[in-house]
Amino acid sequence: MPRFTAPDGLSLHYEDEGTGLPLLCLSGLTRNARDFDFVAPHLEGVRMIRLDYRGRGQSDWGDYKTYTVPVEAKDALALLDHLGLEKVAILGTSRGGIIAMLLGLLAKDRLLGVALNDIGPELNPAGLEAIMGYLGKNPPFKTYEEAARFRSTHMTAFPNVPMERWRKEVTHTNVETPEGLQINYDPGLRDAVIEAGAEPKADMWPLFDSLTDLPLAVIHGANSDLLTHDAVEKMQARDPDLIVAHVPDRGHIPYLDEAEALAALSLWLERLK
């Protein structure tokens, strides 16, 4: 189980598979390396490096006050140093995309390019409110099967998703116990987000602008409640070379193995060569 030590001494888990272009995969807020299981079989010629943030997945839990984007960005840089990598491309899902944008300001010399999965510099408050509805709370289900059936019925932004996909996804951030499903990340993450402010106080457009001279892509869930069509249009206006994929029948977040997402990622990876 590959691990490295963060700058503050916390032990963090990562995965490192394949050969070729180094691609650092940064997951969503409550998620982990499993976020990229669906896209992994489709990405050829890349070295996929997946980081479990502190307090998530198989990484150690720490002081919840360190569960912040700036600290997690420093952890990502520490992983690159641990692996001896000068530059990487980043595929950032939601929170991971915010970290990637921050790295555009803090350490742009380490970046080859960035692909943002349903995230941008302007976030819809409705989507943030939805995240706070479940963040840090154990789901009210006894089994994976019960949770999957609930999602298949109530996640209306994701029509036509096979039940097998829902069954697989619920295992990524939950564990089945005799007492019912429990989240597999530190519930203190909720306190961290509340104290930091669920809605970013700072203007994130300068972060996005820092990346616009690099190969840049955005994969947008057409039904997303976090990244709006209007925000994507603003991103395109600031970066005419931005690769954009609007993925139908997907909310926040696309799985990345949809045809539209794969086409955008393929074009983006070509530009990185």
Side-chain angles (χ1 to χ4, degrees):
M1 183 187 298
R3 305 185 75 84
F4 73 103
T5 303
D8 63 354
L10 208 63
S11 177
L12 304 182
H13 171 261
Y14 69 96
E15 298 178 14
D16 185 358
E17 297 178 329
T19 59
L21 177 85
L23 179 64
L24 177 62
C25 299
L26 299 176
S27 60
L29 174 64
T30 64
R31 298 168 177 248
N32 51 61
R34 304 280 66 76
D35 240 5
F36 303 96
D37 281 359
F38 301 125
V39 71
H42 303 277
L43 297 181
E44 297 180 355
V46 301
R47 175 183 174 184
M48 284 191 71
I49 302 158
R50 316 188 206 187
L51 170 64
D52 278 355
Y53 305 132
R54 52 183 58 223
R56 280 82 125 196
Q58 298 181 62
S59 287
D60 285 357
W61 294 9
D63 180 350
Y64 78 87
K65 293 181 183 295
T66 69
Y67 300 159
T68 66
V69 169
V71 172
E72 290 159 10
K74 291 178 182 176
D75 290 343
L77 291 175
L79 174 56
L80 301 190
D81 292 341
H82 172 75
L83 296 174
L85 291 171
E86 292 186 8
K87 291 177 177 281
V88 295
I90 296 182
L91 173 55
T93 288
S94 196
R95 171 84 153 206
I98 295 176
I99 292 171
M101 287 190 288
L102 179 58
L103 289 174
L105 282 183
L106 299 180
K108 187 175 179 180
D109 60 322
R110 308 295 295 270
L111 303 182
L112 296 169
V114 172
L116 303 168
N117 183 18
D118 210 57
I119 195 68
E122 191 173 284
L123 306 179
N124 182 8
L128 295 169
E129 184 178 346
I131 290 170
M132 294 309 296
Y134 66 80
L135 179 60
K137 302 176 182 179
N138 289 324
F141 306 111
K142 291 293 185 183
T143 64
Y144 291 137
E145 184 69 22
E146 187 180 340
R149 292 195 178 281
F150 178 87
R151 292 191 183 194
S152 70
T153 302
H154 292 83
M155 297 284 281
T156 56
F158 291 82
N160 306 316
V161 173
M163 179 58 70
E164 188 55 39
R165 173 62 59 91
W166 290 121
R167 290 191 183 102
K168 183 68 175 175
E169 191 186 34
V170 297
T171 69
H172 290 176
T173 53
N174 302 281
V175 291
E176 211 172 57
T177 76
E179 291 75 36
L181 292 190
Q182 294 185 359
I183 53 176
N184 67 355
Y185 61 90
D186 187 346
L189 182 60
R190 180 180 182 83
D191 298 316
V193 171
I194 290 173
E195 291 185 13
E199 185 170 358
K201 299 180 180 67
D203 178 7
M204 292 199 295
W205 282 106
L207 278 64
F208 176 79
D209 291 340
S210 72
L211 300 173
T212 54
D213 60 343
L214 297 175
L216 192 58
V218 60
I219 291 119
H220 170 232
N223 299 334
S224 176
D225 60 359
L226 190 67
L227 181 65
T228 66
H229 284 266
D230 181 62
V232 175
E233 288 179 358
K234 291 179 182 177
M235 293 163 73
Q236 285 181 286
R238 287 178 181 247
D239 181 9
D241 293 325
L242 179 69
I243 298 167
V244 177
H246 295 286
V247 184
D249 293 343
R250 293 292 182 266
H252 184 74
I253 51 175
Y255 296 114
L256 295 178
D257 63 346
E258 301 89 354
E260 297 81 4
L262 291 175
L265 289 174
S266 177
L267 178 56
W268 175 66
L269 290 171
E270 280 295 320
R271 290 187 182 177
L272 292 170
K273 293 181 179 178

